Amino acid sequence: MMVVFAAGCSTSGERTLIRASISPGEASRSGGAGSNVPDTDTNLGRLTVEHVIGDGVGVGFRGSAYGSRWGVAEGSSTSTTSLAHLSLYPHLMFLGSADPVRIPIRLGPEFRRHDVNLGTGAGGESKYRGYGVAAEIEPEWTFARNDNFAASVFGRLHVGAGLAAIDGFMQDDTTHATNFEGEVGIRLQASVVSISFGVLGQETRYGASGEDNGARIAAADFNFRGVFFSLGAVW
């Protein structure tokens, strides 16, 4: 079996990838404690590091984060509100291909964090922490290639689930969490340099808390939609 680590590069030995990505887009939250957070402009940053240990097996790590702040009028004053996200995904990677298609599969533990601060008059501050496992698949088809250049189209689907802790406005509890990510794009590689661009989306859902003195925190959905631009190196 031939192992392809990046478009245009095949290997049966060790390979390393480092890729940084910026994604201008909009984040929002519906449900949860306090009022909803409508679409707000932000930038999602991602860093991916992966290393192929041997034929068809590798290890990797991906981290992503965004943060957004805006002002809300409260009577005669204006308070600063914010929405922030962080995810950490160390994983095992299984690489297979049947030229010109490669299909990386990733599996590992995942940590997700979402923080919302709506000010004292709109529901206060809520913190969500999710701990679970996630799997993803990223099929890629190389449609043009020569000795020094390759071009491919790819898609990625990420699914995660686990438990979550909620530190809400006047109430704390535990619940469950699920998350989905998807992206579609084009990848260009020349020598060791890799460039990617496309569209992506994220959704994380935290279930409702249990009742505490007749009160509960409603289920909450955090979403991000945007485009992405990535620059990486493979060697």
Side-chain angles (χ1 to χ4, degrees):
M1 177 179 68
M2 180 179 70
V3 176
V4 183
F5 189 59
C9 292
S10 63
T11 179
S12 58
E14 295 190 7
R15 302 286 289 183
T16 300
L17 160 73
I18 298 178
R19 178 177 291 128
S21 174
I22 186 69
S23 304
E26 294 183 332
S28 64
R29 187 202 69 170
S30 58
S35 58
N36 292 338
V37 178
D39 289 342
T40 179
D41 293 338
T42 189
N43 291 290
L44 173 69
R46 294 181 294 169
L47 177 65
T48 301
V49 179
E50 293 182 326
H51 180 71
V52 174
I53 299 173
D55 287 354
V57 180
V59 294
F61 171 84
R62 181 188 305 121
S64 68
Y66 66 71
S68 183
R69 299 167 65 88
W70 65 98
V72 174
E74 292 186 353
S76 60
S77 62
T78 299
S79 65
T80 299
T81 59
S82 61
L83 174 64
H85 158 74
L86 171 70
S87 70
L88 305 174
Y89 182 45
H91 53 266
L92 292 174
M93 183 170 51
F94 305 95
L95 304 171
S97 72
D99 197 36
V101 178
R102 62 184 292 269
I103 307 177
I105 297 173
R106 301 176 180 93
L107 178 66
E110 184 174 42
F111 167 75
R112 286 193 170 234
R113 168 179 172 170
H114 289 86
D115 293 347
V116 184
N117 189 340
L118 298 176
T120 56
E125 185 177 13
S126 300
K127 299 179 180 179
Y128 297 80
R129 306 288 184 270
Y131 308 86
V133 295
E136 70 175 46
I137 185 170
E138 186 180 346
E140 180 176 358
W141 173 59
T142 302
F143 59 85
R145 176 165 53 197
N146 59 33
D147 292 340
N148 301 309
F149 174 81
S152 61
V153 60
F154 69 95
R156 181 177 65 89
L157 176 64
H158 176 106
V159 180
L163 300 177
I166 308 174
D167 181 3
F169 183 59
M170 301 180 64
Q171 184 179 355
D172 301 336
D173 209 337
T174 58
T175 184
H176 62 276
T178 56
N179 67 81
F180 304 91
E181 291 185 17
E183 65 180 276
V184 177
I186 292 175
R187 183 167 292 140
L188 307 175
Q189 184 166 330
S191 185
V192 300
V193 178
S194 174
I195 298 173
S196 307
F197 54 91
V199 297
L200 67 86
Q202 292 183 349
E203 179 177 345
T204 303
R205 180 175 179 83
Y206 297 94
S209 70
E211 285 198 10
D212 182 7
N213 294 324
R216 68 167 58 195
I217 300 174
D221 292 319
F222 291 84
N223 294 280
F224 176 86
R225 302 289 185 271
V227 297
F228 68 87
F229 306 92
S230 300
L231 177 64
V234 182
W235 67 93

